[in-house]
Amino acid sequence: MTEMGRLVLDRVVDRTENLAGRPATSPLSPQAETDLVESFLAPPPARGGDLKTLLARLDEAADCALETAGPGHLAYIPGSGLYSAALAEFYNRAANRYGGLASVAPALAALEESVIRWMAREVCGLPQGSGGLLTSGGSMATFSATVAARHHRLGEDLADGTVYTTAFAHHSVAKAARLAGIRAAHIRTVPHTADLRMDPDAAAAMIRVDRAAGLRPFLLVATAGTTDTGTIDPLARLAGLARREDVWFHIDAAYGGFFRLTARGTERLAGFEEADSITLDPHKTLFLPFGTGALVVRDLASLHAAHEGTGSYLQDMGAAGSIPDSGHLGPELTHEIRGVRAWLPLHLHGVDAFREALDEKLDLAEHVHRVLSGLPGLEVPHRPDLSTVIFRIRPADGSRAAVERADEASRRLLERINSHRRVVLSSTVVDGRYTLRVCVVSHRTHHDRITEALEIITSEAAGHTPA
């Protein structure tokens, strides 16, 4: 066991030590990538192989990917993955305790509950009695929140239930509503304001019209840090609207939620305290491994009521005092103890280390915005609420042809930036315009890599012929 462990540890340490120098995208040619993928489709052999050889193959597979753990990953919303969380998972997976029912491993269930209570009460500001569960990601958290809202507000009659969100909401919001039995035609897209935020007046008008038509508005979903631009909806105003209209208020804070650990984040994310439920993604802005999401709710009983279930084979499983069973709070009965991967880093490093890292990301995003705003060929339309900065090529004039040429130039600009393989950016579409994104989230991304990224962007944008 020790020999095998050392083989793995040596590779992990070597990979981690060299992350700064690794390419941000796969270095393989398309043909080499295709050949490698094909080789991994082979079935397992009848007889076992050599661990060192197999680990070398795993290295090949890991290299054929975006380097999401490295400092140059500025695309999408990075998930860098703490080494201390990996250690926690190694211990956790080896101990292999069951987490669906608290009585099976009560102390570890209490450990996980402490993480959830901290997220709900200390991070999000929800009252005593709030709680939730750790999930595989934000999509599952949003699904469970939607099921709880549906059960609480609609009961068994789902036919006329309506949901309200915006064009910039994560696609998992509409998906969750459909999976929860809500008709696609009853998932409303609320107009947004010029600064890309949900328009509370438009939402109120839509709810009133739907109610007058005999529909049953039951769920309003705001976003605290959109995936496209990092924009925060007007949470406090939307919370007030939800109370007046008696609809469940959910906040998708998969990206932005943990920025509430900072002073700027607390100010910009005011309104969390009024939510009925909140989606969080610790694998984003708590730097934990992929596969770590969270749902916190104001009233744990509403989550339990929507998900409770049992069978006669569970009759020997007693309650574990005040520790809820995660298997009765979400769709999964089989549930590993996900809290260890958060508990160990939080206790090992302390909350202040995470707060300081998130403050650094806000500072870096503001620096990116200042520098890009000073480049004459670029259009930087919005100040960042969080750590995402969007930009694109400025069209020569307001004509449709000029805008189309600028969008095509932006596509080519992204290709040239990413071809350096020192950083990788991504793109989106904002109000019909092709737009590039710089998203600073990785705990390994610091000023040196951002400086290099800005030099690459500046150089490549300078070589652009005006559109």
Side-chain angles (χ1 to χ4, degrees), residues 318-464:
S322 62
I323 309 302
D325 293 326
S326 65
H328 294 158
L329 300 176
E332 301 171 295
L333 180 58
T334 300
H335 176 97
E336 76 270 27
I337 303 288
R338 292 191 176 111
V340 177
R341 70 186 74 156
W343 181 88
L344 184 63
L346 286 166
H347 284 258
L348 179 65
H349 305 301
V351 174
D352 281 351
F354 293 87
R355 180 179 293 111
E356 289 161 8
L358 290 170
D359 260 325
E360 179 194 30
K361 306 315 160 196
L362 294 174
D363 289 341
L364 291 173
E366 290 175 4
H367 175 61
V368 170
H369 181 266
R370 282 195 302 271
V371 172
L372 295 185
S373 296
L375 299 181
L378 297 184
E379 192 174 76
V380 187
H382 301 282
R383 293 189 62 84
D385 282 353
L386 296 173
S387 62
T388 297
V389 181
I390 61 171
F391 67 99
R392 56 204 177 210
I393 296 293
R394 186 185 301 280
D397 54 53
S399 68
R400 184 67 246 171
V403 169
E404 289 175 355
R405 288 195 300 272
D407 283 355
E408 180 56 34
S410 294
R411 290 187 185 91
R412 294 196 302 271
L413 175 61
L414 179 64
E415 291 173 359
R416 294 198 303 273
I417 292 168
N418 289 348
S419 70
H420 289 254
R421 291 187 174 154
R422 290 293 295 164
V423 297
V424 57
L425 311 188
S426 61
S427 68
T428 188
V429 176
V430 177
D431 287 343
R433 291 292 313 281
Y434 184 93
T435 303
L436 282 68
R437 303 169 63 259
V438 178
C439 187
V440 190
V441 169
S442 171
H443 72 281
R444 296 187 175 97
T445 300
H446 304 297
H447 198 277
D448 59 339
R449 188 57 61 103
I450 292 300
T451 297
E452 185 176 359
L454 289 170
E455 289 172 351
I456 291 171
I457 295 170
T458 300
S459 172
E460 294 296 351
H464 156 72

Side-chain angles (χ1 to χ4, degrees), residues 9-189:
L9 181 62
D10 287 348
R11 286 183 177 274
V12 169
V13 170
D14 179 71
R15 177 173 290 275
T16 304
E17 283 184 336
N18 290 291
L19 277 173
R22 294 176 59 80
T25 57
S26 172
L28 298 180
S29 68
Q31 185 58 53
E33 189 170 298
T34 299
D35 293 344
L36 183 62
V37 168
E38 192 65 30
S39 74
F40 273 95
L41 292 173
R47 296 185 179 276
D50 172 67
L51 177 59
K52 193 171 184 179
T53 301
L54 294 172
L55 289 173
R57 292 213 67 207
L58 284 180
D59 276 345
E60 287 185 278
D63 289 345
C64 179
L66 290 177
E67 185 49 84
T68 51
H73 190 75
L74 306 174
Y76 310 104
I77 301 177
S80 45
L82 283 167
Y83 178 69
S84 55
L87 292 178
E89 274 302 279
F90 175 69
Y91 179 91
N92 188 42
R93 296 298 185 170
N96 197 35
R97 296 296 183 257
Y98 177 76
L101 300 170
S103 61
V104 177
L108 287 174
L111 175 156
E112 184 159 303
E113 177 68 5
S114 76
V115 171
I116 284 290
R117 289 182 184 179
W118 173 75
M119 291 179 183
R121 301 171 193 181
E122 301 298 322
V123 177
C124 294
L126 296 178
Q128 291 294 316
S130 59
L133 79 161
L134 295 179
T135 67
S136 59
S139 294
M140 187 60 76
T142 299
F143 174 62
S144 287
T146 304
V147 169
R150 182 202 70 187
H151 185 272
H152 188 266
R153 299 303 173 103
L154 299 180
E156 297 298 320
D157 183 8
L158 315 183
D160 296 322
T162 56
V163 176
Y164 303 84
T165 184
T166 74
F168 293 108
H170 194 272
H171 74 273
S172 62
V173 173
K175 182 178 181 180
R178 294 197 307 274
L179 291 174
I182 305 304
R183 295 172 56 189
H186 290 175
I187 303 170
R188 303 288 192 241
T189 301

Side-chain angles (χ1 to χ4, degrees), residues 142 146 163-166 169 173 190 198 219-223 233 238 248-252:
T142 299
T146 304
V163 176
Y164 303 84
T165 184
T166 74
V173 173
V190 179
M198 182 188 287
L219 175 60
L220 175 65
V221 182
T223 305
D233 284 332
L238 292 171
W248 183 286
F249 183 45
H250 178 73
I251 299 175
D252 178 0

Side-chain angles (χ1 to χ4, degrees), residues 162 164 204-217 245:
T162 56
Y164 303 84
M206 294 177 81
I207 291 172
R208 287 194 297 269
V209 168
D210 283 343
R211 188 167 279 135
L215 299 179
R216 300 172 67 195
E245 296 293 341

